[in-house]
Amino acid sequence: MMHFLQICDEFPATEIKTRDISAKIRDQVTERLKSQISTSNVADLVTLLEKFAYFNLPFSDITLLISKSIKTDPALVTPSLAYKIIEVFASRQALDIFAFTLIQKLTTFHREAFMELSLEEKAPLFRNFAWLELQTQPPEYEVPFVMYALKKELQKMLDQLSEKAVIQVLEAYQRLPRDFPADFLDDVRESIIVTIQSAPSKLSTEFILGFLSVISELPTNKQPNLPKLKVVLNELSQRLGKEKPLQSAENFNKMIQIVSRFDVKDQTFSKAVSEYILNHSNTGVFFNGHALFMIKATGINVVPIIQKVMQF
């Protein structure tokens, strides 16, 4: 027990792989963490906030203490601590008024400091602010000004963003309101399509699948049109069976499920999928209902696939 608590104290919450701990130990951990609140400085409080969030424990008391610290001396919450707080809050599905009030204070005080972050820090911050959906929350019920500044900066440096950062930008648009400028989203989509057409080797297969997965959850009017979507599917067709990310059953099925979210019938892609299933030595592993329906919808004969699957 003490060893477990020492792990909680000494390592970041994201490194603790113990969500399945028993209720008894969980209660003891909770009490141990709570006992540290009153004696913690601001940095320690933020660390405790991360741990409470990881164990899905309520943290209003911690939020209030951090807010009081800001009232006494705003500089006690450094930009890096503010960044962590927003990251923690964005990972939770339900926050109280104290959390949103703290976010508003942090955003106001650190707005200029946030703009000094690196591009690889600005992208997740842009995403985290978007996922907080502050336009629907008190005390201000609006997208903070810093979001427009971050959008402008990231858009200007689009060519320098990593694949991970680009995905984070796309994820932000899943939660941003309709009236938030969509020109950045348009630029990101267009940049990806153009790169696939002109220099596809610059993009990893994982990124292309991630791109499709994220945009499939965007409103229809924010998704690529059919011709551009087919550009992406054509590239996947060419990579199918040639690249390791698509050669595992898990990733193959993941790809099929993602593509199935779109209302598109692409014979080139369906043919590539059909041939891959038929030519694979372990056809049954790569066979699923989504693939069968997709192939059949484009007029390709699925009987050979069914017959081969029945042999396994």
Side-chain angles (χ1 to χ4, degrees):
M1 172 63 192
M2 288 306 298
H3 177 66
F4 175 81
L5 292 173
Q6 288 172 359
I7 292 176
C8 289
D9 289 339
E10 296 172 7
F11 291 89
T14 52
E15 294 183 13
I16 305 173
K17 308 300 183 182
T18 51
R19 286 188 181 272
D20 58 344
I21 58 177
S22 68
K24 181 178 179 180
I25 295 181
R26 183 185 179 86
D27 290 342
Q28 293 181 50
V29 171
T30 301
E31 291 305 314
R32 174 66 178 270
L33 293 176
K34 285 182 177 179
S35 70
Q36 298 176 19
I37 295 177
S38 61
T39 58
S40 297
N41 58 34
V42 173
D44 290 338
L45 285 173
V46 175
T47 299
L48 282 174
L49 184 72
E50 292 178 294
K51 292 177 180 178
F52 271 61
Y54 181 83
F55 287 110
N56 198 29
L57 302 172
F59 46 61
S60 294
D61 290 346
I62 301 176
T63 301
L64 284 171
L65 283 175
I66 296 175
S67 293
K68 289 180 180 179
S69 299
I70 290 180
K71 188 175 182 179
T72 304
D73 183 3
L76 288 175
V77 181
T78 63
S80 62
L81 290 178
Y83 185 94
K84 289 182 180 179
I85 292 170
I86 291 169
E87 184 177 44
V88 169
F89 286 166
S91 70
R92 294 294 289 264
Q93 294 185 357
L95 296 172
D96 57 27
I97 181 62
F98 304 115
F100 286 112
T101 301
L102 177 57
I103 292 168
Q104 191 271 330
K105 292 178 180 179
L106 295 175
T107 304
T108 300
F109 186 75
H110 289 297
R111 186 171 68 187
E112 293 184 4
F114 285 152
M115 299 311 300
E116 298 300 321
L117 296 171
S118 69
L119 284 177
E120 295 306 302
E121 293 173 314
K122 287 176 181 174
L125 184 63
F126 182 71
R127 184 261 188 201
N128 288 336
F129 269 125
W131 276 54
L132 286 167
E133 297 183 283
L134 298 176
Q135 68 276 8
T136 66
Q137 303 295 338
E140 298 192 341
Y141 294 97
E142 64 180 10
V143 175
F145 177 80
V146 70
M147 281 293 286
Y148 295 90
L150 286 170
K151 175 252 179 191
K152 182 178 180 180
E153 183 71 13
L154 290 167
Q155 187 172 13
K156 182 173 64 176
M157 308 298 288
L158 175 58
D159 291 342
Q160 298 182 34
L161 295 181
S162 66
E163 291 184 346
K164 181 178 179 179
V166 170
I167 293 296
Q168 289 165 336
V169 169
L170 291 169
E171 288 175 337
Y173 274 93
Q174 292 177 333
R175 301 288 184 89
L176 285 169
R178 292 181 179 179
D179 58 355
F180 190 86
D183 56 321
F184 186 20
L185 174 62
D186 295 337
D187 288 349
V188 171
R189 284 197 319 252
E190 189 62 26
S191 173
I192 293 171
I193 298 301
V194 169
T195 302
I196 289 176
Q197 291 175 315
S198 60
S201 61
K202 290 185 177 181
L203 301 179
S204 69
T205 299
E206 292 95 331
F207 172 75
I208 294 177
L209 289 176
F211 167 65
L212 283 177
S213 180
V214 174
I215 64 172
S216 72
E217 298 180 24
L218 290 173
T220 304
N221 65 329
K222 292 184 179 180
Q223 295 179 6
N225 59 31
L226 186 57
K228 292 181 178 179
L229 182 57
K230 288 193 172 187
V231 168
V232 182
L233 296 182
N234 182 63
E235 178 60 26
L236 285 177
S237 299
Q238 296 182 45
R239 297 188 182 201
L240 190 58
K242 298 179 182 178
E243 295 203 4
K244 289 184 178 180
L246 292 177
Q247 290 177 0
S248 73
E250 180 181 357
N251 289 335
F252 176 84
N253 291 328
K254 177 182 176 181
M255 175 190 69
I256 297 299
Q257 290 175 4
I258 291 172
V259 175
S260 296
R261 298 173 191 169
F262 299 94
D263 184 20
V264 57
K265 298 177 182 179
D266 187 88
Q267 192 166 40
T268 299
F269 180 74
S270 294
K271 183 178 180 180
V273 170
S274 176
E275 291 177 350
Y276 185 66
I277 294 175
L278 284 170
N279 295 330
H280 199 276
S281 59
N282 191 9
T283 302
V285 175
F286 289 86
F287 175 80
N288 63 66
H290 289 295
L292 186 65
F293 180 82
M294 181 188 304
I295 295 168
K296 185 177 181 181
T298 57
I300 297 175
N301 186 9
V302 297
V303 173
I305 296 177
I306 296 175
Q307 290 177 336
K308 187 166 183 179
V309 169
M310 292 178 67
Q311 298 174 8
F312 291 86

